[in-house]
Amino acid sequence: MYCETDEELMELVERARRYTDQGKVASYIPALERANQNDLSLALYYSNGKCVKAGDVEKKFTLQSVSKVLTLALAIMDRGEEEVFSKVGMEPTGDPFNSIAKLETQIPAKPLNPMINAGALVVTNMLTGHSVHDRLGRLLSLIHDMTNNSMIDIDEEVAQSEYETAHLNRSLCYFMKQHGIIEGDIEELMDVYTKQCAIQVTCYDLARIGVVLANKGLDPQSNRRILPERIATIVKTFMVTCGMYNASGEFAIQVGIPSKSGVSGGILALVPPSIGVGVYGPALNDKGNSIGGVKLLEMLSQRYDLSIF
């Protein structure tokens, strides 16, 4: 049984909205601090082209860590599975997403997985292209294909705000460069990374990305292959094991669908083989996940029996 109407979804959104007061909008990136913490919206996109939605689904927000899923797919297409995973691991971590601790104790000093910041920086470093513009252009092109929306672009103000405050990410990069995990110019890498995080989307766009992943990399409308099936499988698996930071295990039990969150309050989720889900709620819990969004996905999963487990 799937949700059929906007009204059904709206009831869940309003119930979950009560939790937003318990969270806080991300403030360590100044441009994100202006978000309205009571915002909450949800879009479900089905493989037959039907979309049900509730809340302010046209409101734009930046991908932040949701971009890690897309850069991973692109890096594997560019470099191949073997090369990518020679530089970044496949294991979940109980540490916060921006931790440097494991890099110091791992031999070699490669990040545990591509969904934490250190791992995502390694992945972005592997995107091919002669310039920042080239790499971002190829990433945007993939996102345009997955969303069927060529208007998606970078929020330059958010990108600049992140670039100016990304001291911890620079530290991660220099540490990994010292150990041969990252190559090339660190400032150029930071330019790409902060801009990839600042790509601006709506809930509807996220749901459209989700349905392509749910459908094994095929666009269900055109039947055009956008991602190889193997790559779609890899990124979905990381979403289950590592997608919700160090709350991924609890989320798998409570919700049970592949999901990836970002500190803007976005969550990309999917239910194989036929539903893409986009959530936006900028009030975050202490793990950095949307507090209303997680509650909303819990309610949705339980009501419609969506857990893949």
Side-chain angles (χ1 to χ4, degrees), residues 66-85:
V66 175
S67 67
K68 294 170 181 174
V69 172
L70 302 163
T71 51
L72 176 61
L74 189 57
I76 299 172
M77 285 195 280
D78 283 351
R79 303 278 190 157
E81 208 175 314
E82 188 176 342
E83 185 176 344
V84 169
F85 294 112

Side-chain angles (χ1 to χ4, degrees), residues 213-257:
L213 290 172
N215 196 41
K216 301 181 178 179
L218 280 175
D219 181 335
Q221 256 63 70
S222 65
N223 218 32
R224 184 165 72 95
R225 179 155 296 286
I226 296 173
L227 292 177
E229 184 175 340
R230 170 68 179 168
I231 292 177
T233 298
I234 290 169
V235 300
K236 283 185 286 192
T237 308
F238 276 117
M239 288 167 76
V240 172
T241 58
C242 317
M244 301 299 283
Y245 304 130
N246 47 328
S248 296
E250 181 185 352
F251 186 86
I253 290 167
Q254 300 297 351
V255 182
I257 62 174

Side-chain angles (χ1 to χ4, degrees), residues 247-288:
S248 296
E250 181 185 352
F251 186 86
I253 290 167
Q254 300 297 351
V255 182
I257 62 174
S259 301
K260 181 72 197 90
S261 63
V263 294
S264 61
I267 303 176
L268 162 67
L270 57 103
V271 184
S274 59
I275 312 175
V277 184
V279 176
Y280 174 59
L284 308 179
N285 61 23
D286 59 355
K287 300 286 173 65

Side-chain angles (χ1 to χ4, degrees), residues 5-290:
T5 67
D6 294 358
E7 289 72 26
E8 284 177 73
L9 271 197
M10 197 64 215
E11 182 222 329
L12 294 179
V13 168
E14 289 309 326
R15 279 174 54 200
R17 200 190 301 276
R18 298 171 199 158
Y19 293 86
T20 58
D21 285 344
Q22 298 170 27
K24 290 182 178 167
V25 171
S27 58
Y28 67 94
I29 301 167
L32 296 183
E33 202 171 2
R34 296 196 295 273
N36 178 349
Q37 86 166 54
N38 294 315
D39 279 353
L40 190 60
S41 51
L42 171 68
L44 304 180
Y45 196 99
Y46 297 108
S47 56
N48 64 4
K50 179 182 172 73
C51 181
V52 289
K53 52 195 184 297
D56 195 1
V57 291
E58 295 308 314
K59 188 161 275 192
K60 291 183 176 179
F61 53 93
T62 51
L63 283 175
Q64 300 302 328
S65 285
V66 175
S67 67
K68 294 170 181 174
V69 172
L70 302 163
T71 51
L72 176 61
L74 189 57
I76 299 172
M77 285 195 280
D78 283 351
R79 303 278 190 157
E81 208 175 314
E82 188 176 342
E83 185 176 344
V84 169
F85 294 112
S86 72
K87 296 282 181 78
V88 62
M90 299 181 178
E91 299 306 322
T93 172
D95 293 331
F97 63 90
N98 55 2
S99 173
I100 199 169
K102 285 284 196 300
L103 290 179
E104 294 189 276
T105 55
Q106 291 280 111
I107 307 292
K110 73 177 190 181
L112 280 174
N113 68 69
M115 299 294 128
I116 55 175
N117 284 13
L121 288 159
V122 170
V123 168
T124 297
N125 189 237
M126 284 192 268
L127 298 180
T128 59
H130 296 299
S131 65
V132 170
H133 185 265
D134 271 3
R135 292 175 199 167
L136 288 166
R138 295 179 59 251
L139 177 59
L140 280 168
S141 186
L142 174 63
I143 293 169
H144 293 164
D145 282 350
M146 294 182 84
T147 57
N148 198 29
N149 178 3
S150 60
M151 302 302 289
I152 290 173
D153 209 347
I154 294 160
D155 182 326
E156 296 288 351
E157 185 195 355
V158 173
Q160 187 63 28
S161 181
E162 296 199 36
Y163 184 79
E164 288 169 0
T165 56
H167 310 306
L168 182 53
N169 282 339
R170 282 185 177 84
S171 303
L172 294 170
C173 288
Y174 280 112
F175 188 91
M176 291 186 289
K177 186 166 184 175
Q178 172 70 25
H179 290 271
I181 302 293
I182 276 179
E183 298 163 359
D185 183 80
I186 298 300
E187 287 308 305
E188 188 172 297
L189 172 56
M190 292 310 306
D191 195 10
V192 178
Y193 185 75
T194 52
K195 283 177 175 158
Q196 93 183 31
C197 289
I199 292 170
Q200 206 173 40
V201 294
T202 64
C203 272
Y204 179 85
D205 295 323
L206 284 190
R208 194 74 175 65
I209 291 169
V211 82
V212 172
L213 290 172
N215 196 41
K216 301 181 178 179
L218 280 175
D219 181 335
Q221 256 63 70
S222 65
N223 218 32
R224 184 165 72 95
R225 179 155 296 286
I226 296 173
L227 292 177
E229 184 175 340
R230 170 68 179 168
I231 292 177
T233 298
I234 290 169
V235 300
K236 283 185 286 192
T237 308
F238 276 117
M239 288 167 76
V240 172
T241 58
C242 317
M244 301 299 283
Y245 304 130
N246 47 328
S248 296
E250 181 185 352
F251 186 86
I253 290 167
Q254 300 297 351
V255 182
I257 62 174
S259 301
K260 181 72 197 90
S261 63
V263 294
S264 61
I267 303 176
L268 162 67
L270 57 103
V271 184
S274 59
I275 312 175
V277 184
V279 176
Y280 174 59
L284 308 179
N285 61 23
D286 59 355
K287 300 286 173 65
N289 297 317
S290 170

